[in-house]
mmCIF file of all heavy atoms in Angstrom:
data_model
loop_
_atom_site.group_PDB
_atom_site.id
_atom_site.type_symbol
_atom_site.label_atom_id
_atom_site.label_comp_id
_atom_site.label_asym_id
_atom_site.label_seq_id
_atom_site.Cartn_x
_atom_site.Cartn_y
_atom_site.Cartn_z
ATOM 1 N N TYR A 299 16.259 4.035 0.276
ATOM 2 C CA TYR A 299 17.526 3.785 -0.407
ATOM 3 C C TYR A 299 18.420 5.001 -0.223
ATOM 4 O O TYR A 299 17.966 6.128 -0.344
ATOM 5 C CB TYR A 299 17.307 3.574 -1.906
ATOM 6 C CG TYR A 299 16.608 2.298 -2.273
ATOM 7 C CD1 TYR A 299 15.310 2.316 -2.765
ATOM 8 C CD2 TYR A 299 17.238 1.066 -2.164
ATOM 9 C CE1 TYR A 299 14.652 1.141 -3.139
ATOM 10 C CE2 TYR A 299 16.608 -0.114 -2.526
ATOM 11 C CZ TYR A 299 15.308 -0.069 -3.020
ATOM 12 O OH TYR A 299 14.681 -1.224 -3.373
ATOM 13 N N GLY A 300 19.700 4.779 0.023
ATOM 14 C CA GLY A 300 20.647 5.877 0.164
ATOM 15 C C GLY A 300 20.401 6.642 1.449
ATOM 16 O O GLY A 300 19.551 6.261 2.259
ATOM 17 N N VAL A 306 16.097 8.115 -0.941
ATOM 18 C CA VAL A 306 14.812 7.921 -1.621
ATOM 19 C C VAL A 306 13.938 7.042 -0.736
ATOM 20 O O VAL A 306 14.313 5.919 -0.406
ATOM 21 C CB VAL A 306 14.999 7.218 -2.991
ATOM 22 C CG1 VAL A 306 13.646 6.956 -3.637
ATOM 23 C CG2 VAL A 306 15.878 8.051 -3.901
ATOM 24 N N ARG A 307 12.801 7.592 -0.336
ATOM 25 C CA ARG A 307 11.860 6.824 0.476
ATOM 26 C C ARG A 307 11.030 5.957 -0.480
ATOM 27 O O ARG A 307 10.018 6.406 -1.022
ATOM 28 C CB ARG A 307 10.975 7.793 1.266
ATOM 29 C CG ARG A 307 10.049 7.124 2.267
ATOM 30 C CD ARG A 307 10.778 6.741 3.523
ATOM 31 N NE ARG A 307 9.881 6.128 4.495
ATOM 32 C CZ ARG A 307 10.215 5.092 5.247
ATOM 33 N NH1 ARG A 307 11.428 4.545 5.147
ATOM 34 N NH2 ARG A 307 9.368 4.598 6.121
ATOM 35 N N ALA A 308 11.489 4.723 -0.709
ATOM 36 C CA ALA A 308 10.828 3.862 -1.700
ATOM 37 C C ALA A 308 9.521 3.294 -1.160
ATOM 38 O O ALA A 308 8.539 3.183 -1.889
ATOM 39 C CB ALA A 308 11.761 2.733 -2.110
ATOM 40 N N LEU A 309 9.504 2.902 0.125
ATOM 41 C CA LEU A 309 8.277 2.392 0.748
ATOM 42 C C LEU A 309 8.042 3.155 2.039
ATOM 43 O O LEU A 309 8.946 3.298 2.858
ATOM 44 C CB LEU A 309 8.391 0.891 1.073
ATOM 45 C CG LEU A 309 8.607 -0.072 -0.087
ATOM 46 C CD1 LEU A 309 8.563 -1.513 0.423
ATOM 47 C CD2 LEU A 309 7.585 0.137 -1.186
ATOM 48 N N GLY A 326 0.715 0.202 -9.853
ATOM 49 C CA GLY A 326 1.226 1.533 -9.564
ATOM 50 C C GLY A 326 2.094 2.028 -10.697
ATOM 51 O O GLY A 326 2.622 1.233 -11.474
ATOM 52 N N PRO A 327 2.257 3.344 -10.791
ATOM 53 C CA PRO A 327 3.107 3.901 -11.842
ATOM 54 C C PRO A 327 4.574 3.557 -11.590
ATOM 55 O O PRO A 327 4.928 3.077 -10.511
ATOM 56 C CB PRO A 327 2.867 5.409 -11.733
ATOM 57 C CG PRO A 327 2.411 5.630 -10.330
ATOM 58 C CD PRO A 327 1.686 4.385 -9.928
ATOM 59 N N ASN A 328 5.417 3.806 -12.550
ATOM 60 C CA ASN A 328 6.850 3.555 -12.368
ATOM 61 C C ASN A 328 7.366 4.341 -11.179
ATOM 62 O O ASN A 328 7.017 5.500 -10.995
ATOM 63 C CB ASN A 328 7.613 3.938 -13.630
ATOM 64 C CG ASN A 328 7.483 2.878 -14.696
ATOM 65 O OD1 ASN A 328 7.723 1.697 -14.440
ATOM 66 N ND2 ASN A 328 7.059 3.254 -15.876
ATOM 67 N N GLY A 329 8.171 3.682 -10.365
ATOM 68 C CA GLY A 329 8.748 4.353 -9.203
ATOM 69 C C GLY A 329 7.876 4.283 -7.964
ATOM 70 O O GLY A 329 8.248 4.798 -6.907
ATOM 71 N N ALA A 330 6.721 3.623 -8.059
ATOM 72 C CA ALA A 330 5.782 3.578 -6.931
ATOM 73 C C ALA A 330 6.306 2.747 -5.763
ATOM 74 O O ALA A 330 5.915 2.953 -4.618
ATOM 75 C CB ALA A 330 4.436 3.017 -7.395
ATOM 76 N N GLY A 331 7.185 1.786 -6.061
ATOM 77 C CA GLY A 331 7.714 0.919 -5.014
ATOM 78 C C GLY A 331 7.324 -0.546 -5.193
ATOM 79 O O GLY A 331 7.498 -1.361 -4.283
ATOM 80 N N LYS A 332 6.830 -0.893 -6.373
ATOM 81 C CA LYS A 332 6.376 -2.259 -6.616
ATOM 82 C C LYS A 332 7.516 -3.270 -6.531
ATOM 83 O O LYS A 332 7.430 -4.263 -5.809
ATOM 84 C CB LYS A 332 5.701 -2.361 -7.997
ATOM 85 C CG LYS A 332 4.546 -1.412 -8.204
ATOM 86 C CD LYS A 332 3.923 -1.580 -9.577
ATOM 87 C CE LYS A 332 4.851 -1.243 -10.727
ATOM 88 N NZ LYS A 332 5.257 0.171 -10.803
ATOM 89 N N SER A 333 8.596 -3.003 -7.275
ATOM 90 C CA SER A 333 9.716 -3.959 -7.270
ATOM 91 C C SER A 333 10.337 -4.061 -5.885
ATOM 92 O O SER A 333 10.712 -5.145 -5.442
ATOM 93 C CB SER A 333 10.785 -3.552 -8.287
ATOM 94 O OG SER A 333 10.283 -3.684 -9.596
ATOM 95 N N THR A 334 10.433 -2.936 -5.202
ATOM 96 C CA THR A 334 10.998 -2.956 -3.850
ATOM 97 C C THR A 334 10.164 -3.864 -2.949
ATOM 98 O O THR A 334 10.707 -4.678 -2.189
ATOM 99 C CB THR A 334 11.048 -1.522 -3.279
ATOM 100 O OG1 THR A 334 11.843 -0.714 -4.154
ATOM 101 C CG2 THR A 334 11.637 -1.506 -1.886
ATOM 102 N N THR A 335 8.849 -3.756 -3.051
ATOM 103 C CA THR A 335 7.962 -4.602 -2.244
ATOM 104 C C THR A 335 8.174 -6.078 -2.565
ATOM 105 O O THR A 335 8.329 -6.911 -1.664
ATOM 106 C CB THR A 335 6.482 -4.223 -2.504
ATOM 107 O OG1 THR A 335 6.315 -2.831 -2.240
ATOM 108 C CG2 THR A 335 5.542 -5.037 -1.633
ATOM 109 N N GLN A 373 11.652 -8.428 -12.973
ATOM 110 C CA GLN A 373 11.253 -7.543 -14.056
ATOM 111 C C GLN A 373 12.190 -7.713 -15.257
ATOM 112 O O GLN A 373 11.767 -7.631 -16.390
ATOM 113 C CB GLN A 373 11.315 -6.111 -13.500
ATOM 114 C CG GLN A 373 10.536 -5.092 -14.284
ATOM 115 C CD GLN A 373 10.481 -3.753 -13.555
ATOM 116 O OE1 GLN A 373 10.584 -3.668 -12.328
ATOM 117 N NE2 GLN A 373 10.316 -2.692 -14.305
ATOM 118 N N ASP A 449 7.050 -9.851 -11.421
ATOM 119 C CA ASP A 449 7.269 -8.406 -11.420
ATOM 120 C C ASP A 449 7.175 -7.869 -12.851
ATOM 121 O O ASP A 449 8.064 -8.084 -13.658
ATOM 122 C CB ASP A 449 8.634 -8.087 -10.797
ATOM 123 C CG ASP A 449 8.752 -6.617 -10.391
ATOM 124 O OD1 ASP A 449 7.769 -5.864 -10.558
ATOM 125 O OD2 ASP A 449 9.833 -6.232 -9.897
ATOM 126 N N GLU A 450 6.070 -7.202 -13.143
ATOM 127 C CA GLU A 450 5.809 -6.631 -14.469
ATOM 128 C C GLU A 450 6.051 -7.650 -15.581
ATOM 129 O O GLU A 450 6.869 -7.413 -16.480
ATOM 130 C CB GLU A 450 6.673 -5.389 -14.689
ATOM 131 C CG GLU A 450 6.485 -4.385 -13.574
ATOM 132 C CD GLU A 450 6.306 -2.961 -14.077
ATOM 133 O OE1 GLU A 450 6.117 -2.759 -15.284
ATOM 134 O OE2 GLU A 450 6.331 -2.053 -13.230
ATOM 135 N N THR A 481 2.918 -7.600 -10.204
ATOM 136 C CA THR A 481 2.988 -6.138 -10.218
ATOM 137 C C THR A 481 2.800 -5.672 -11.647
ATOM 138 O O THR A 481 3.158 -6.370 -12.595
ATOM 139 C CB THR A 481 4.339 -5.580 -9.718
ATOM 140 O OG1 THR A 481 5.278 -5.612 -10.790
ATOM 141 C CG2 THR A 481 4.865 -6.351 -8.527
ATOM 142 N N VAL A 498 -0.540 1.268 -5.435
ATOM 143 C CA VAL A 498 0.530 1.927 -4.684
ATOM 144 C C VAL A 498 0.979 3.166 -5.436
ATOM 145 O O VAL A 498 1.025 3.180 -6.663
ATOM 146 C CB VAL A 498 1.755 1.004 -4.439
ATOM 147 C CG1 VAL A 498 1.481 0.021 -3.338
ATOM 148 C CG2 VAL A 498 2.164 0.275 -5.701
ATOM 149 N N GLU A 611 7.884 9.929 -13.865
ATOM 150 C CA GLU A 611 9.054 9.158 -13.447
ATOM 151 C C GLU A 611 10.124 9.136 -14.541
ATOM 152 O O GLU A 611 11.234 8.694 -14.323
ATOM 153 C CB GLU A 611 8.653 7.729 -13.103
ATOM 154 C CG GLU A 611 8.542 7.445 -11.610
ATOM 155 C CD GLU A 611 9.883 7.422 -10.891
ATOM 156 O OE1 GLU A 611 10.771 6.669 -11.332
ATOM 157 O OE2 GLU A 611 10.042 8.152 -9.909
HETATM 158 P P1 ADP B 1413 8.572 0.356 -9.221
HETATM 159 O O1 ADP B 1413 8.967 -1.068 -9.302
HETATM 160 O O2 ADP B 1413 7.180 0.579 -8.752
HETATM 161 O O3 ADP B 1413 8.827 1.088 -10.514
HETATM 162 P P2 ADP B 1413 10.822 0.586 -7.408
HETATM 163 O O4 ADP B 1413 10.476 -0.247 -6.227
HETATM 164 O O5 ADP B 1413 11.761 -0.003 -8.404
HETATM 165 O O6 ADP B 1413 9.480 1.079 -8.129
HETATM 166 O O7 ADP B 1413 11.447 1.965 -6.918
HETATM 167 C C1 ADP B 1413 10.850 2.782 -5.933
HETATM 168 C C2 ADP B 1413 11.709 4.023 -5.746
HETATM 169 O O8 ADP B 1413 12.965 3.643 -5.202
HETATM 170 C C3 ADP B 1413 12.011 4.759 -7.031
HETATM 171 O O9 ADP B 1413 12.056 6.132 -6.761
HETATM 172 C C4 ADP B 1413 13.379 4.237 -7.427
HETATM 173 O O10 ADP B 1413 14.057 5.178 -8.201
HETATM 174 C C5 ADP B 1413 14.024 4.009 -6.067
HETATM 175 N N1 ADP B 1413 14.989 2.894 -6.067
HETATM 176 C C6 ADP B 1413 14.729 1.607 -6.391
HETATM 177 N N2 ADP B 1413 15.822 0.842 -6.259
HETATM 178 C C7 ADP B 1413 16.810 1.663 -5.849
HETATM 179 C C8 ADP B 1413 18.195 1.470 -5.506
HETATM 180 N N3 ADP B 1413 18.770 0.261 -5.563
HETATM 181 N N4 ADP B 1413 18.879 2.557 -5.120
HETATM 182 C C9 ADP B 1413 18.325 3.772 -5.040
HETATM 183 N N5 ADP B 1413 17.026 4.017 -5.331
HETATM 184 C C10 ADP B 1413 16.273 2.984 -5.732
#
Side-chain angles (χ1 to χ4, degrees):
Y299 290 110
V306 177
R307 186 79 179 140
L309 299 185
N328 282 309
K332 304 181 296 295
S333 293
T334 301
T335 304
Q373 199 172 334
D449 197 2
E450 306 226 11
T481 82
V498 283
E611 258 290 306

